[in-house]
Amino acid sequence: MIPISKTIIGEEEKRAVLEVLDSGMLAQGPKVAALEAAFAQTVRTKHAVATSSGTTALHVALLANGIGPGDEVITSPFTFIASVNSILYVGARPVFCDIDETTFNIDVRQLAKLITPRTKAIMPVHVYGQACDMDEIMAIARDRGLAVVEDAAQAIGTSYRGKSAGSFGTGCFSLYATKNIMSGEGGMITTDDDKIAELARTLRHHGMRRRYYHDVLGFNFRMTDLCAAIGIVQLGRLADITQRRRKNAAYLSEHIRTVRVPRSAPRGEHAWHQYTVRIEGGAARRDAAVANLTERGIGCGVFYPVPAHKQTHIRELGLGDMSLPVAERLSDEVFSLPVHPSLEQTDLETIVREVNAL
Ligand SMILES: *Cc1c(COP(=O)(O)O)cnc(C)c1O
């Protein structure tokens, strides 16, 4: 079986964890600080604030941008549910912008018409590791005075016009086990804004600026040094991992004939968190292709079979009838093939052969 994802865990990760265990200091400490410094350098932001997950990074980033009850946040329906849940956690209302069918990212031509007097933020999701059209999004945000919280959970290593994803607004990354680099569980908030960084640090640690004096309602969203130690080693592998993913994606796109291969927009560099193809004819046809390939030893994933606005708990919010035809259609057409850095040439050839036999 060629798995859809495979985590690289080398001797360096093992040694790093043992070192933390030997130190006896397992919770947030010097390793978290070191990971934050290295992460800020990688994304090229002034600050990086580690959290316990990508989800808590999004939650804290929204709060640190002053988003709360009554506010509207425009985001993508074509995402992992954490993007939308974080908006609900702060009491705000998600407003969905349909996507562009070639990039799978929000269609910026539709953004302006979704803005109301209650709109406070845009949350672009750099889905699959490809950057959204940030020039356009930042221009609209500046014009309307909106915050931008980037869901860059799938986009470490992604760039747009030479700038890293997550460095335009407030960036939110995930270091979950199957992301391009990982720390087991973990998240990171990146920003150039001193106030947002300071508030994010305070919120992740029970609103505590001075020991046992609590200024705001905060949380325990801290990362552990055990996780950070893994993350530091993984960050050192980022350039190599990203380059391999790009090479694998290029090979697949060059040789696959039977399904529609993904295009990477010319403005940025894709990190290929997922290599997502499309097969037309509805979900049943897609599901049959996935079952067929799985049987032939190709691990596939469907990210995601149900768009956010069709999920049960979102429907129950009664946000009204939403027509998001592109997101709905693509949810029935997409499936992802292995593109991870551990693939050998023979694996790539097997994937191409089986996909071309569909
Ligand atoms: C993984 C992911 C998240 C959440 O990250 P966790 O670390 O799993 O909490 C949020 N948004 C997107 C798009 C993701 O892929």
Side-chain angles (χ1 to χ4, degrees), residues 23 28 34 53 125-126 133 208-209 236 267 273 284 291 313 326 358:
S23 79
Q28 183 179 294
S53 71
V125 182
H126 307 301
D133 191 348
M208 192 150 65
R209 291 187 170 98
R267 308 173 303 263
H273 175 59
H313 74 294
V326 182
L358 276 176

Side-chain angles (χ1 to χ4, degrees), residues 188-254:
M188 195 67 73
I189 299 167
T190 49
T191 178
D192 288 327
D193 187 308
D194 297 343
K195 283 207 184 75
I196 288 174
E198 196 279 333
L199 186 50
R201 285 182 196 288
T202 306
L203 288 167
R204 77 167 166 191
H205 188 39
H206 279 302
M208 192 150 65
R209 291 187 170 98
R210 254 170 86 196
R211 207 165 173 74
Y212 304 125
Y213 288 76
H214 306 276
D215 305 325
V216 287
L217 175 62
F219 308 85
N220 175 358
F221 285 166
R222 297 182 303 266
M223 183 186 277
T224 66
D225 261 22
L226 275 172
C227 289
I230 299 172
I232 291 166
V233 178
Q234 291 266 308
L235 199 53
R237 298 186 191 278
L238 178 64
D240 178 53
I241 283 175
T242 307
Q243 188 257 334
R244 287 192 210 206
R245 284 179 176 272
R246 286 186 183 138
K247 212 167 121 259
N248 293 343
Y251 183 90
L252 294 174
S253 290
E254 195 185 329

Side-chain angles (χ1 to χ4, degrees), residues 52-56 58 79-83 125-127 151 153-154 173-176 179 185-187 273 304:
S52 52
S53 71
T55 306
T56 56
L58 287 163
T79 183
F80 179 57
I81 199 65
S83 321
V125 182
H126 307 301
V127 81
D151 184 338
Q154 303 185 358
F173 292 87
S174 167
L175 291 162
Y176 177 66
K179 298 297 202 290
E185 295 269 10
H273 175 59
Y304 298 89

Side-chain angles (χ1 to χ4, degrees), residues 5-320:
S5 74
K6 188 159 187 269
T7 309
I8 298 176
I9 301 170
E11 289 308 314
E12 296 91 335
E13 281 85 350
K14 293 177 190 169
R15 227 179 297 127
V17 168
L18 287 177
E19 202 183 290
V20 175
L21 282 174
D22 284 339
S23 79
M25 303 203 304
L26 313 187
Q28 183 179 294
K31 294 292 181 191
V32 168
L35 176 61
E36 290 175 337
F39 214 96
Q41 200 168 30
T42 300
V43 180
R44 282 169 286 148
T45 51
K46 192 167 172 195
H47 306 280
V49 181
T51 61
S52 52
S53 71
T55 306
T56 56
L58 287 163
H59 184 169
V60 165
L62 287 169
L63 290 173
N65 276 278
I67 312 303
D71 297 338
E72 291 178 0
V73 179
I74 302 174
T75 193
S76 173
F78 197 78
T79 183
F80 179 57
I81 199 65
S83 321
V84 184
N85 283 353
S86 68
I87 296 168
L88 298 177
Y89 297 153
V90 305
R93 177 188 169 102
V95 173
F96 296 106
C97 180
D98 207 357
I99 59 170
D100 175 280
E101 75 171 302
T102 60
T103 63
F104 306 103
N105 282 324
I106 51 172
D107 182 352
V108 292
R109 292 167 304 182
Q110 303 194 38
L111 259 182
K113 70 170 194 235
L114 297 170
I115 295 173
T116 75
R118 287 181 301 278
T119 308
K120 287 287 158 53
I122 306 171
M123 181 190 284
V125 182
H126 307 301
V127 81
Y128 303 147
Q130 169 149 261
C132 297
D133 191 348
M134 292 313 293
D135 278 350
E136 205 58 41
I137 292 168
M138 296 311 291
I140 292 171
R142 256 192 306 272
D143 200 39
R144 309 290 186 112
L146 308 176
V148 174
V149 175
E150 298 173 68
D151 184 338
Q154 303 185 358
I156 183 71
T158 299
S159 68
Y160 175 89
R161 295 200 201 280
K163 234 170 103 67
S164 296
S167 70
F168 292 84
T170 306
C172 298
F173 292 87
S174 167
L175 291 162
Y176 177 66
T178 60
K179 298 297 202 290
N180 286 18
I181 62 165
M182 62 91 198
S183 62
E185 295 269 10
M188 195 67 73
I189 299 167
T190 49
T191 178
D192 288 327
D193 187 308
D194 297 343
K195 283 207 184 75
I196 288 174
E198 196 279 333
L199 186 50
R201 285 182 196 288
T202 306
L203 288 167
R204 77 167 166 191
H205 188 39
H206 279 302
M208 192 150 65
R209 291 187 170 98
R210 254 170 86 196
R211 207 165 173 74
Y212 304 125
Y213 288 76
H214 306 276
D215 305 325
V216 287
L217 175 62
F219 308 85
N220 175 358
F221 285 166
R222 297 182 303 266
M223 183 186 277
T224 66
D225 261 22
L226 275 172
C227 289
I230 299 172
I232 291 166
V233 178
Q234 291 266 308
L235 199 53
R237 298 186 191 278
L238 178 64
D240 178 53
I241 283 175
T242 307
Q243 188 257 334
R244 287 192 210 206
R245 284 179 176 272
R246 286 186 183 138
K247 212 167 121 259
N248 293 343
Y251 183 90
L252 294 174
S253 290
E254 195 185 329
H255 293 93
I256 287 174
R257 304 267 173 265
T258 43
V259 293
R260 198 187 295 231
V261 297
R263 273 203 9 215
S264 88
R267 308 173 303 263
E269 285 203 281
H270 204 311
W272 298 105
H273 175 59
Q274 297 297 349
Y275 182 88
T276 302
V277 300
R278 288 165 56 194
I279 189 160
E280 277 155 45
R285 178 132 192 267
R286 185 267 317 278
D287 293 344
V290 167
N292 189 326
L293 287 170
T294 306
E295 202 168 293
R296 292 155 183 265
I298 316 293
C300 300
V302 176
F303 311 106
Y304 298 89
V306 181
H309 64 291
K310 297 279 189 191
Q311 299 286 355
T312 307
H313 74 294
I314 306 295
R315 276 180 189 274
E316 285 171 2
L317 294 172
L319 298 174

